[in-house]
Amino acid sequence: MTILEETKFIMNKYHIKANKSLGQNFLISEEVVQEIVNSSQIEKEDLVIEIGPGLGTLTKCLLEKAGKVICIELDKKMIHILQDRFSLYDNFALLNQDVLKVDLRQLIKKEKEKENIKNIKIVANLPYYITTPIIMKLLEEELPLESITVMIQKEVADRLIAVPGEKETGAITYSVYYYAQAEGILEVPNHSFIPEPQVTSKVIKLVIRKQPPVKIAKKERMFQVIKNAFMQRRKTLLNALVNTKIFESKEKGMQILQDLDIAVNIRPEKLTLEDYANIAKLLEN
Ligand code: SAM
């Protein structure tokens, strides 16, 4: 049976209609499933956490490769299907919860106590309506993850993996860069899913850094500067930071930029993360 036939069979058997409000677009491409699994480089001692397993298309391949797979799925209907399909696998676990409410640190800690785990990897075809909150939760909680391999909307993917200076750069580009090394893996057309999403998709991989690329005591201050710099995208960095009161005055702001050898008419997306760290440090002094 192809994945398309299998998906249709399961949907018929369980009378499933994709729930749009839960971001349900089921993968039906064998090549895309293989590419996601291969790029996650799963080994037998790995714990994989899959977010939104849905009908279990990816799950099936993950179970063959990983030491253990913990699936987190919000939709009860999917839970029944997943239990029917995979309860015979002794490396399968399932949580019927909203991933945004799960205490992942605690979950990982408990698993580590029980099992001999080498690396922890997140693999998912994410629900697109909450892509950014999920990725930011995974990064900001500083969980002991090795990597995050996810399919998301292409537009968001390009912002997450942009190199500062490129036109896709946004505040989130710097956050991702601080926590991880990001790469684009594969663009995925709409017809690889049923139902077809409105947007093109992209698989990206974030390899979590062991050390951050800049040293700063209060990283929250740096991220506050970045967030405010991008609130008014069409403005120069100086004007944006004056308007949002990060700089006390235009004169003070100009002084800070000149001290750091940063052009006073620079745009927010042209700065490096190190530039933002240096601005935040000077503001603290
Ligand atoms: N992994 C499946 C696949 O590739 O065919 C389904 C992916 S579908 C894009 C997203 C899945 O996330 C759906 O099964 C949906 O029910 C689930 N989901 C939506 N919101 C969720 C949440 N807050 N927590 C956990 N799962 C969620």
Side-chain angles (χ1 to χ4, degrees):
M1 242 200 269
T2 64
I3 292 192
L4 174 61
E5 287 162 350
E6 193 175 41
T7 305
K8 283 188 172 163
F9 174 81
I10 295 171
M11 289 178 82
N12 275 332
K13 181 174 169 193
Y14 291 89
H15 310 292
I16 296 295
K17 277 213 167 80
N19 184 337
K20 273 196 180 164
S21 63
L22 286 179
Q24 289 180 352
N25 300 97
F26 303 115
L27 245 180
I28 51 163
S29 159
E30 184 76 48
E31 297 86 71
V32 176
V33 170
Q34 283 313 324
E35 191 67 37
I36 293 175
V37 174
N38 290 343
S39 53
S40 353
Q41 295 177 301
I42 299 165
E43 294 174 36
K44 264 289 163 227
E45 309 82 46
D46 289 343
L47 165 65
V48 171
I49 301 177
E50 188 191 2
I51 299 166
L55 306 171
T57 308
L58 255 177
T59 319
K60 197 171 148 194
C61 296
L62 297 174
L63 284 166
E64 304 293 344
K65 299 245 172 191
K68 179 149 188 188
V69 180
I70 301 180
C71 293
I72 305 173
E73 170 61 59
L74 183 58
D75 187 354
K76 270 224 158 61
K77 284 188 184 160
M78 301 296 140
I79 296 291
H80 292 304
I81 299 171
L82 294 161
Q83 277 165 342
D84 281 357
R85 289 189 79 181
F86 306 123
S87 55
L88 288 180
Y89 285 78
D90 58 7
N91 60 342
F92 171 69
L94 186 55
L95 292 181
N96 183 198
Q97 284 187 50
D98 175 348
V99 67
L100 293 176
K101 297 191 181 140
V102 175
D103 184 343
L104 289 170
R105 182 168 294 283
Q106 190 60 20
L107 177 77
I108 290 171
K109 186 170 168 256
K110 277 197 188 148
E111 283 306 313
K112 277 189 148 175
E113 283 163 8
K114 276 195 292 185
E115 322 252 352
N116 190 14
I117 294 168
K118 189 169 156 203
N119 284 312
I120 301 164
K121 296 170 181 171
I122 304 280
V123 183
N125 171 16
L126 286 181
Y128 292 177
Y129 74 106
I130 43 170
T131 302
T132 306
I134 294 177
I135 292 184
M136 290 322 293
K137 174 185 164 89
L138 296 173
L139 294 175
E140 286 177 348
E141 288 188 5
E142 303 198 32
L143 304 165
L145 303 174
E146 191 265 347
S147 62
I148 302 171
T149 307
V150 282
M151 173 135 61
I152 58 177
Q153 317 80 306
K154 179 184 176 310
E155 201 195 349
V156 179
D158 288 342
R159 224 175 318 131
L160 299 189
I161 65 174
V163 174
E166 289 176 356
K167 88 172 186 312
E168 293 84 4
T169 305
I172 200 166
T173 308
Y174 294 91
S175 302
V176 171
Y177 182 82
Y178 179 82
Y179 293 107
Q181 281 175 301
E183 65 169 315
I185 304 286
L186 177 73
E187 244 180 72
V188 181
N190 308 27
H191 59 75
S192 302
F193 306 85
I194 46 173
E196 291 190 12
Q198 303 285 333
V199 293
T200 305
S201 303
K202 192 164 184 168
V203 180
I204 61 167
K205 181 170 183 181
L206 310 179
V207 176
I208 306 301
R209 294 182 192 277
K210 300 215 179 345
Q211 297 292 331
V214 295
K215 286 219 182 328
I216 178 155
K218 288 192 185 155
K219 64 174 184 298
E220 295 72 21
R221 182 71 165 143
M222 175 180 74
F223 288 129
Q224 185 198 30
V225 174
I226 295 172
K227 198 170 127 209
N228 283 279
F230 280 88
M231 267 182 193
Q232 301 176 306
R233 269 211 80 137
R234 293 183 194 291
K235 299 226 174 338
T236 62
L237 174 84
L238 179 62
N239 285 339
L241 293 185
V242 172
N243 291 346
T244 54
K245 308 217 168 6
I246 293 286
F247 287 155
E248 259 173 51
S249 66
K250 198 157 192 165
E251 294 66 40
K252 277 254 165 79
M254 282 173 84
Q255 190 58 58
I256 287 178
L257 295 184
Q258 279 160 0
D259 287 353
L260 294 171
D261 260 341
I262 298 173
V264 291
N265 60 352
I266 198 166
R267 304 247 154 217
E269 70 275 14
K270 296 290 178 197
L271 277 78
T272 63
L273 185 68
E274 199 164 7
D275 291 331
Y276 280 113
N278 289 336
I279 293 174
K281 281 180 204 164
L282 281 191
L283 285 170
E284 285 299 302
N285 292 336

